[in-house]
Amino acid sequence: MYSNARQYCDDLFQRVVARNANEPEFHQAVREVLDSLAVVLERHPEYIEEGIVERLVEPERQIIFRVPWVDDSGRVQVNRGFRVQFNSAIGPYKGGLRFHPSVNVGIIKFLGFEQIFKNSLTGLPIGGGKGGSDFDPKGKSDGEVMRFCQSFMAELYRHIGQDIDVPAGDIGVGAREIGYMYGQYKRLTGACEAGVLTGKGLIYGGSLVRKQATGYGLVYFTEEMMNDHGDSLRGKTVLVSGSGNVSIYTTEKAMELGAKIVAMSDSNGYVYDAGGIDLDIVKQLKEVERKRISEYVKHRPAAEYHPGWTGIWNVPCDVALPCATQNEIDAQSAQTLVKNGCRVVAEGANMPTSLEGTEIFLQGGVLFGPAKAANAGGVATSALEMSQNSMRLSWTFEEVDEKLRRIMKNIYVASSQAAVEYGRRDNLVLGANVAGFKKVAEAMMAQGVV
Ligand code: NDP
């Protein structure tokens, strides 16, 4: 039917674009995976015969719903809620909820699609899903956020469960939002089903290290990748974009390992602090006061604030860790980073580098850790939270941290071995896609056409 696997992938990609119009982020995520999979399909024609990839690019279920709520002035507001249950071949759907005005079905689909491979790479039994809303928590009172979360859960609760689908946080969804949603789920179902959501507070079923896990995991992965090439983070100058959950704990762990973080950002601009970012100030501004990063310079007059958040990539560095959002590094930023001597890039955010930017890093000999592998520590620790909930036990910080460290090492090893197996040494984009895919594909083969 197809003269070769490459032609099959190209044809499938055209069908995905035609069938999912106006979803550029989803197309981008599928394109990257299909580019990696052609070599696997050449060796495994049975995956083509069984329609494995055709089934993988089609979500098992997509739910879109109305979320009405009343703001502080008594006006009715209406947002849109999403949950995309992408693939459950290896376990219950698992993936975060994003609350941000830019959220639409294409963004949730790109995130859910990536989640399938990421979750597989963790080695834990979790399928892929993602959800969220175009609600903007910024500038809303706690009461407004609570009413929104309750209304959101009033519909979502029908579709989730500890053995069905287990949401967590993402952009705009932290401990506060998870708490309100868990409270509403408990009220609606009348059961303390702790394993239905992860990222919960420690006193009602949360796990130690979950808050830090994506950032710490990213740094463990980066250190592993650098060690494998005879290098380490010690003494390196590092850029960390964003100043949210992932960025803060990436910065914390990288500093612990001896790196100097000189810049961080938010969606308005970035701060440059030649002496090294003072993380206590960032935590106070972002975690406690919910303020803008521009306020940082009031506390550190020697630091500089620059409006325009992608300007951060013009700052010379050894290592860049994008931790804000998708497509924050385009071809031009990638070129600038390489020109300024950046040798290592590892993605804390999901798909922060455009396809062109990724190619520039790979061609330029930059050690590149793709998101699916490098930021999998968050979801891995969420799965550890589910395990503790099932056992009704709590592990210590050290126990969870050690498991996270081991998982990140295993992900690096699995991705780099897959890259070698398919003749593309050090291409971890290919390695992570292939290693994540093969396990899901085998499970789908075993379970028949469902
Ligand atoms: P947060 O909401 O805590 O922080 C997001 C940060 O990115 C903020 O500083 C935000 O600035 C900044 N930002 C800049 N531009 C944008 C933009 N256009 N849209 C949204 N945010 C922007 O989110 P997280 O730290 O949880 O998530 C960051 C990234 O990491 C996302 O890509 C997410 O999918 C990914 N990720 C998160 C995991 C987790 O465990 N939380 C797990 C794996 C991946 P501002 O405050 O101005 O909006």
Side-chain angles (χ1 to χ4, degrees):
M1 185 171 47
Y2 294 99
S3 62
N4 59 47
R6 165 71 48 196
Q7 192 204 338
Y8 169 80
C9 288
D10 286 344
D11 178 76
L12 179 54
F13 179 67
Q14 292 313 324
R15 281 186 279 148
V16 167
V17 171
R19 222 175 181 194
N20 303 273
N22 305 316
E23 296 176 6
E25 292 86 1
F26 180 52
H27 303 164
Q28 182 181 339
V30 171
R31 176 84 260 177
E32 188 215 90
V33 169
L34 288 178
D35 282 348
S36 298
L37 291 190
V39 287
V40 183
L41 299 179
E42 265 161 26
R43 288 192 202 174
H44 294 276
E46 69 276 18
Y47 293 157
I48 297 182
E49 283 152 25
E50 293 293 323
I52 295 293
V53 191
E54 271 135 308
R55 282 189 273 151
L56 257 179
V57 297
E58 187 66 25
E60 289 176 17
R61 193 171 298 104
Q62 307 183 52
I63 302 142
I64 301 182
F65 51 98
R66 184 175 69 191
V67 189
W69 56 282
V70 180
D71 69 18
D72 285 347
S73 65
R75 270 207 313 273
V76 174
Q77 301 282 347
V78 180
N79 285 98
R80 188 170 283 181
F82 303 90
R83 187 71 185 168
V84 175
Q85 299 178 330
F86 228 113
N87 192 292
S88 60
I90 61 172
Y93 312 105
K94 181 92 196 81
L97 297 170
R98 175 177 292 191
F99 292 169
H100 192 271
S102 64
V103 163
N104 57 44
V105 71
I107 298 231
I108 298 300
K109 275 163 71 179
F110 115 66
L111 291 162
F113 182 68
E114 298 253 305
Q115 201 81 42
I116 304 170
F117 307 93
K118 180 188 313 198
N119 293 3
S120 165
L121 279 171
T122 65
L124 301 165
I126 37 179
K130 199 84 187 187
S133 173
D134 57 1
F135 173 74
D136 186 1
K138 242 185 250 142
K140 304 286 190 301
S141 69
D142 283 353
E144 290 177 320
V145 171
M146 182 183 74
R147 291 193 293 281
F148 171 80
C149 288
Q150 290 176 339
S151 180
F152 183 81
M153 187 50 84
E155 173 59 33
L156 187 69
Y157 90 100
R158 305 169 205 283
H159 311 287
I160 62 176
Q162 61 186 4
D163 297 318
I164 302 168
D165 182 356
V166 183
D170 191 80
I171 290 176
V173 178
R176 174 181 62 169
E177 291 75 16
I178 293 289
Y180 291 147
M181 286 190 275
Y182 181 63
Q184 179 75 347
Y185 182 85
K186 197 158 56 65
R187 180 164 70 172
L188 290 167
T189 59
C192 287
E193 186 191 336
V196 71
L197 284 171
T198 59
K200 298 180 295 295
L202 292 176
I203 45 175
Y204 57 93
S207 172
L208 286 160
V209 194
R210 177 60 190 92
K211 182 171 74 170
Q212 296 85 351
T214 309
Y216 279 20
L218 171 67
V219 175
Y220 294 149
F221 184 94
T222 308
E223 184 75 351
E224 196 62 41
M225 179 167 75
M226 292 176 79
N227 287 171
D228 197 27
H229 291 79
D231 205 350
S232 79
L233 278 164
R234 182 155 298 283
K236 298 294 186 295
T237 298
V238 179
L239 308 178
V240 176
S241 64
S243 46
N245 171 267
V246 179
S247 317
I248 285 176
Y249 294 97
T250 293
T251 300
E252 184 167 281
K253 185 53 78 175
M255 282 164 68
E256 229 178 277
L257 296 190
K260 181 158 96 170
I261 296 24
V262 294
M264 292 181 81
S265 60
D266 64 18
S267 58
N268 295 113
Y270 73 95
V271 286
Y272 172 65
D273 191 337
I277 290 281
D278 183 330
L279 191 59
D280 288 339
I281 298 175
V282 177
K283 280 186 177 177
Q284 177 66 23
L285 288 174
K286 289 294 176 177
E287 292 189 328
V288 182
E289 298 173 19
R290 296 180 189 269
K291 286 196 173 146
R292 311 310 300 155
I293 198 78
S294 54
E295 304 261 325
Y296 180 89
V297 295
K298 289 190 185 154
H299 304 269
R300 293 269 287 186
E304 301 163 14
Y305 174 72
H306 299 270
W309 63 290
T310 54
I312 190 172
W313 307 123
N314 297 326
V315 177
C317 68
D318 303 308
V319 178
L321 303 174
C323 295
T325 193
Q326 64 273 2
N327 290 326
E328 47 173 317
I329 300 183
D330 60 8
Q332 199 188 338
S333 297
Q335 257 152 5
T336 305
L337 281 163
V338 174
K339 183 166 67 67
N340 286 343
C342 173
R343 306 312 306 149
V344 178
V345 176
E347 299 183 318
N350 283 310
M351 207 169 74
T353 315
S354 68
L355 290 172
E356 298 75 21
T358 303
E359 205 45 44
I360 288 164
F361 290 141
L362 293 177
Q363 296 299 327
V366 170
L367 282 183
F368 182 75
K372 286 186 197 81
N375 75 19
V379 73
T381 308
S382 275
L384 299 178
E385 182 174 333
M386 290 162 71
S387 302
Q388 293 168 81
N389 293 151
S390 297
M391 293 188 296
R392 299 182 191 279
L393 284 174
S394 298
W395 293 326
T396 64
F397 192 96
E398 289 70 27
E399 280 176 285
V400 183
D401 193 35
E402 186 45 41
K403 288 183 203 300
L404 169 64
R405 203 186 288 259
R406 216 173 37 235
I407 289 168
M408 297 316 294
K409 184 184 170 84
N410 291 343
I411 293 175
Y412 175 73
V413 170
S415 305
S416 60
Q417 280 177 353
V420 170
E421 190 189 335
Y422 283 90
R424 303 275 292 278
R425 193 184 171 75
D426 289 338
N427 185 334
L428 297 177
V429 175
L430 179 122
N433 284 335
V434 169
F437 166 76
K438 280 176 94 174
K439 204 170 109 185
V440 178
E442 284 304 311
M444 289 174 74
M445 293 283 283
Q447 292 168 22
V449 180
V450 291

